[in-house]
Amino acid sequence: MNKLDLCKKAIDATTYSYSPYSNCKVGAALLTKSGKVYTGCNIENASFSATICAERVAFSKAVSEGEKDFEAIAVVGKIDNNIKVFTPCGVCRQVMTEFCDGDFKIFVVTGENSFNEYTLSQLLPNSFALKEK
Ligand code: THU
């Protein structure tokens, strides 16, 4: 799957964002090493701390179906249907660290046909982990 197609799946994944409190629609598309894509959107809650980010929804869907090997994730945020640059939050970076190596790729969508590319080790250097990878 090419990078821009993964970004487009993240944009599509904003469709079902449940975000009545922030009005930020976030979408994520997580690519496994075997080529499958799991999407996610943010799901907010009146008790704000119960909100779950789009990235963690995608990881939860994938891990709960037995996936363990991940290649890349694309993430997009939209406010009033305009793309805003939403780089994954710290909690999501930590969740990525649980399942991914430092070279895991993160595409932050910046427009309909553009994105910034990072590795997980760039976004969360010297990360905390308990298990050997
Ligand atoms: N959000 C995500 O979905 N992913 C992130 O990495 C950062 C924030 C969501 C949570 C909340 O629903 C909204 O964006 C505003 O914080």
Side-chain angles (χ1 to χ4, degrees), residues 18-19 22 24 26 42-44 51-55 75 86-89 92:
Y18 178 75
S19 43
S22 73
C24 301
V26 186
N42 56 329
I43 303 172
E44 298 187 343
T51 292
I52 181 165
C53 295
E55 299 92 317
V75 183
F86 267 44
T87 310
C89 79
C92 289

Side-chain angles (χ1 to χ4, degrees), residues 10 13-14 24-31 38-43 51-63 70 72-77 85-97 99-100 104-109 120 123:
T14 62
C24 301
K25 291 179 184 287
V26 186
L30 175 62
L31 178 65
Y38 290 83
T39 60
C41 62
N42 56 329
I43 303 172
T51 292
I52 181 165
C53 295
E55 299 92 317
R56 280 179 287 137
V57 170
F59 269 92
S60 299
K61 286 167 70 177
V63 173
F70 301 106
I73 193 168
V75 183
V76 63
V85 178
F86 267 44
T87 310
C89 79
V91 173
C92 289
R93 294 178 199 198
Q94 181 65 34
V95 168
M96 291 174 196
T97 290
F99 298 104
C100 306
F104 176 72
K105 291 185 279 298
I106 298 162
F107 308 130
V108 174
V109 177
L120 181 55
L123 294 190

